[in-house]
Amino acid sequence: MSGADLLPSQRSLFDIPDDVAYLNCAYMSPLPKASLAAGEAGLRRKAQPWTIPSTDFFAMSETVRGLFASMIHAAADDIAFIPAVSYGMAQAARNISLRPGQTILTLAEQFPSNVYPWMDLAERSGATFVSVPRPADDDWTAALLARIDAAAGVVAVPHCHWTDGGLIELEAVGAACRRVGAVLCIDGTQSVGALPFDVKRVDPDFLCVAGYKWLLGPYSLGFLYVAPRWQDGRPIEQNWIARRDSEDFAGLVNYKREYQPGARRFDVGERSNFALMPVAKASLELILGWPVPRVAATLKARTDAVATRARDELGIGSAPAARRAGHYLGLRFSRGIPADLPARLAANSVFVSVRGRAMRVTPHLWNSDADVERLFASLQRP
Ligand SMILES: Cc1ncc(COP(=O)(O)O)c(C=O)c1O
């Protein structure tokens, strides 16, 4: 993608004061103004419930299901609503049977919502929970592929490591999983929306994405992709709207064994959420309009520039560009993060975060060159 295809700053779409350098999308995105307005209108409807017809329990959910599906090249039928990644991974773990001697592969220092469900499944099944150590050369893909053998039952990984953006080449991992019959469960929370993802190329079994980071959406409304081969599985809860004919409110007590089609049986209860669903819709529409490949290219140009300048001017390193996700930078301080750095960042209203030994710099389209100047003013000692 050439420079001409990069997106200009979209700061005017967000409510961010000029003197705030918010470089922390990996923590939580700000809501776009349009999404905030949609949420305020949605919340207001609950003050007048006679304005909410029963068809609204379905219509907007279906639209949002379709929007998210298009972002990952899936079908609307493949998507369920989840309140958290932990919930989506619990749905996956509920449906996977393992034997003693099989392994569940994860990465060292992986986010806990994609760790605890697997420790629990290992305990219940007698399978072995494995944490692949951080490779010295930042090549997570090679380190993981080396462990995907005939014993592998589950591979539960992200697209990029949440501490520093370390990239996992998921197409290669997907192919290896299919070769040995392992179930691939992906946490796309720190990537989907900012890094292209195609279920047809990766072929995951399950993919969970929290909505409040790179999807620019609300807290507690996320998405679960369920591959068609798992869509006749057993959900962890039994809610009324997931059953066939739930559109017929008068007939709800004609209890049904059958579910709504596709992945809808895995929807969290009360997923129709009249306040938050419009927020998710507005945010997804914004991202799809940019669209994701241009977001990815623009953020990569931004983080590449920060990485180069940090190395050349300050001697601060990071993973090689080819081994990290383009939107995500972890700055590595060889002698640890200086004790006075948090105070310097705070004094300049620069927002980043520390995870493990890395300082995460995760910009988005609201950022300007001035934000980067504020970051470097803080990194340079006075
Ligand atoms: C990689 C990753 N997954 C998931 C989450 C959130 O998990 P949950 O939705 O279970 O609260 C985070 C939050 O920081 C994260 O970084």
Side-chain angles (χ1 to χ4, degrees), residues 112-142:
S113 292
N114 195 17
V115 170
Y116 292 131
W118 306 118
M119 288 179 165
D120 180 62
L121 178 60
E123 231 174 87
R124 287 189 280 119
S125 65
T128 305
F129 176 88
V130 176
S131 173
V132 175
R134 177 176 283 278
D137 61 358
D138 290 301
D139 192 347
W140 279 113
T141 309

Side-chain angles (χ1 to χ4, degrees), residues 26 83-86 111 113 162 187 189-190 210 212-213 219:
V85 169
S86 56
F111 191 80
S113 292
W162 74 298
D187 178 1
T189 299
Q190 292 291 10
Y212 66 98
K213 298 176 191 277
Y219 195 70

Side-chain angles (χ1 to χ4, degrees), residues 257-377:
R257 282 189 65 79
E258 303 83 6
Y259 290 93
Q260 292 275 348
R264 291 173 183 81
R265 67 181 60 195
F266 298 109
D267 279 351
V268 66
E270 297 197 12
R271 53 92 167 142
S272 305
N273 209 319
F274 304 102
L276 299 187
M277 200 56 83
V279 182
K281 176 173 177 285
S283 295
L284 289 169
E285 284 171 344
L286 187 61
I287 298 169
L288 289 165
W290 277 328
V292 174
R294 284 182 86 194
V295 174
T298 308
L299 300 185
K300 176 170 166 41
R302 175 74 77 194
T303 65
D304 280 351
V306 171
T308 303
R309 186 167 166 193
R311 183 197 62 206
D312 294 351
E313 290 182 16
L314 304 168
I316 300 171
S318 52
R323 299 246 163 103
R324 67 172 176 83
H327 61 293
Y328 215 106
L329 178 64
L331 292 179
R332 295 170 178 171
F333 293 76
S334 51
R335 273 171 279 136
I337 299 201
D340 61 340
L341 185 54
R344 279 187 272 143
L345 292 163
N348 281 325
S349 297
V350 175
F351 295 87
V352 292
S353 50
V354 174
R355 294 292 180 271
R357 284 172 304 130
M359 191 180 92
R360 284 192 319 202
V361 180
T362 50
H364 210 288
L365 298 179
W366 55 76
N367 287 118
S368 61
D369 294 345
D371 293 338
V372 174
E373 291 310 316
R374 294 180 87 88
L375 171 68
F376 277 93

